[in-house]
Amino acid sequence: MIEREKASVSRAARLSVAPMMEWTDRHCRFFHRLMSKQALLYTEMVTSPALVRGNATHLLRYSQAEQPVALQLGGSDPAELAEAARLGAQAGYAEINLNVGCPSDRVQNGAFGAILMRDPKLVAECCAAMIKASPVEVTVKCRIGVDDQEPSDVLPEFIARVAGAGVGRFTIHARKAWLQGLSPKENRDIPPLDYELVQQMKGLFPALHLSLNGGVTTLADAKAALDRGMDGVMIGRAAYHQPGDILMDADHMIFGAPKLERTREDIVMAMLPYIDAHIAEGGKLGQVTRHMLGIFAGKPGARHWKRHLSENAHKSDAGSHTVVDAIEMMHAARPAA
C-alpha cells in the first residue's frame, strides 16, 4: 500500500507548485486544486521547532480536497525533524519535504534552509531520522550550491550523501543561493540558472526522481524539461500569479488526462461555497481572494476584477457576493464582441 502511494505521489511530482511563504497556504492550495486534480501541491515551510517545541499543530491544517499535498519542513536537528515528520505523516500528508534551499536571514539564523548545502552529512542524518519516523516518503528541495561553492563539485556530493540516507526524490532549484549580499527576492532572480548541471545530475543518478525548479514560467517550458529526461518540474511564482495559465491545462498537457472544457469563471464560481464556509467559520474574504487575483491575468477586464477585490475584500460585509460583483465589473469593462 505504501509503495503504491509513493508511486502515486512521484507521478504527481511530474508537475508541482513550489512551497512559497505567505502564499501557498490552505486557501491557495484549495483554489489551485480546482484547476489541477493531479499536480503535487506543497505547504508553506513549517519549522520543526514551531511544531515540536511550540506545539503549533494548527499549522498542519488542510483539507483532504487538497491531496496530494506535501508538507515542507525547515530545521536542522535530526531528532526534532523526526518528530515533526511523524506529526506530518500522522496528519495525513502525502510527502514530507526538507527545505535545503531557502536563503532568508531568519532561516540562516536558525541554521537551516540553503545554509545546509554546506553540511551534507547533517542533511543526511536529518533525512535518515525523518525516514525512520515517517511512513510517508521523505524528499529534499535544495539549491545547486551556496556562496563560493563550485556547484559541479558540491551538488553531486550532496545528492550522493543524502540519497545514501534513503532519499529517492529531490527537487533542485537550478541557482546558487548567495547568503551574503543578496536578499531572498534577489536570490530568486540574480544568480544565473544552470539547467545543464541539473540535467547532468539525472545522468549521474538515473535511479533517483529529480525535479527541476527555477525560472520555469510556462507549461511548454515544463513539458520541454520533462521531454529532456527530467522526472518532474516545480513551478513557483508563475503558478501563483498566473494560475489559470499554468494549472488549468496541466492535467492534459503534463499528465495526459482528457482536456476539460472549463472557463476561469467556472473555477471562480466553484470557490464560492468554500468562501461561504470560511466566512461562516469567522474567516475573512480577503484571506481567500488574495490568492485568486491572478486567475484572469492577461484577459480583458482583469484589472477591474483585481481592483474590485483589492478594494472591497477587507470590508466587514464582504462575502461571495463581492466576488460575483467583481466578475460582473470585469464583464462590463470588456469591449463588445
Side-chain angles (χ1 to χ4, degrees):
M1 178 68 174
I2 290 176
E3 289 304 313
R4 284 204 304 272
E5 290 174 353
K6 282 179 63 175
S8 175
V9 178
S10 291
R11 184 174 186 277
R14 280 178 60 80
L15 184 74
S16 57
V17 178
M20 292 177 282
M21 293 300 294
E22 300 184 358
W23 288 6
T24 51
D25 64 15
R26 60 192 177 91
H27 307 306
C28 175
R29 297 190 304 266
F30 187 92
F31 176 53
H32 284 180
R33 183 57 72 210
L34 291 179
M35 288 175 271
S36 171
K37 297 300 182 187
Q38 301 198 44
L40 180 59
L41 305 180
Y42 280 81
T43 67
E44 304 170 88
M45 182 185 67
V46 178
T47 68
S48 57
L51 286 180
V52 178
R53 283 181 259 157
N55 197 33
T57 52
H58 65 278
L59 297 174
L60 299 178
R61 185 180 176 189
Y62 72 100
S63 164
Q64 283 297 322
E66 299 168 32
Q67 291 282 19
V69 59
L71 170 67
Q72 187 182 66
L73 294 175
S76 58
D77 179 88
E80 196 168 67
L81 279 166
E83 176 61 13
R86 186 191 68 78
L87 291 171
Q90 189 177 62
Y93 283 96
E95 171 194 325
I96 311 294
N97 178 264
L98 179 62
N99 182 324
V100 191
C102 181
S104 77
D105 291 340
R106 183 172 68 87
V107 168
Q108 289 182 57
N109 292 337
F112 55 92
I115 200 168
L116 289 174
M117 292 297 299
R118 294 175 176 166
D119 197 347
K121 181 176 181 291
L122 176 57
V123 176
E125 291 172 0
C126 290
C127 290
M130 293 166 70
I131 289 167
K132 187 175 181 180
S134 169
V136 302
E137 186 172 13
V138 172
T139 69
V140 166
K141 184 175 187 291
C142 65
R143 292 274 183 149
I144 61 174
V146 296
D147 296 334
D148 58 356
Q149 288 181 328
E150 175 49 57
S152 60
D153 296 330
V154 169
L155 187 59
E157 178 188 351
F158 176 87
I159 292 174
R161 178 72 72 110
V162 178
V167 174
R169 184 146 55 86
F170 294 78
T171 298
I172 305 170
H173 188 149
R175 287 187 174 95
K176 269 188 178 184
W178 286 98
L179 303 180
Q180 302 296 327
L182 292 182
S183 69
K185 181 178 185 299
E186 290 169 331
N187 263 300
R188 292 193 293 266
D189 296 305
I190 292 177
L193 289 160
D194 193 344
Y195 291 157
E196 184 178 348
L197 177 62
V198 178
Q199 191 78 44
Q200 289 172 8
M201 295 306 101
K202 186 58 194 174
L204 286 175
F205 302 99
L208 297 178
H209 184 293
L210 302 183
S211 290
L212 173 71
N213 174 229
V216 182
T217 60
T218 69
L219 274 184
D221 290 342
K223 190 170 187 310
L226 294 170
D227 290 344
R228 290 193 301 269
M230 296 305 298
D231 300 298
V233 176
M234 177 179 278
I235 302 182
R237 285 167 290 167
Y240 188 87
H241 291 302
Q242 297 97 37
D245 293 341
I246 302 298
L247 294 172
M248 287 188 68
D249 285 331
D251 291 358
H252 175 62
M253 284 185 63
I254 303 299
F255 297 96
K259 188 174 178 62
L260 298 178
E261 296 302 324
R262 303 166 301 165
T263 67
R264 296 168 196 242
E265 289 181 26
D266 292 336
I267 301 300
V268 170
M269 297 306 289
M271 282 295 293
L272 299 187
Y274 180 89
I275 288 170
D276 289 336
H278 177 63
I279 292 175
E281 291 176 353
K284 304 296 184 183
L285 177 64
Q287 294 169 326
V288 179
T289 55
R290 70 189 185 95
H291 304 298
M292 300 169 61
L293 297 178
I295 182 66
F296 297 108
K299 302 299 179 183
R303 181 167 56 88
H304 296 268
W305 153 267
K306 188 173 181 178
R307 184 173 64 192
H308 186 75
L309 288 180
S310 298
E311 292 176 352
N312 294 281
H314 68 282
K315 294 181 178 178
S316 59
D317 62 344
S320 57
H321 62 90
T322 309
V323 179
V324 175
D325 289 345
I327 290 178
E328 291 177 353
M329 293 193 71
M330 180 177 65
H331 285 167
R334 287 175 175 172

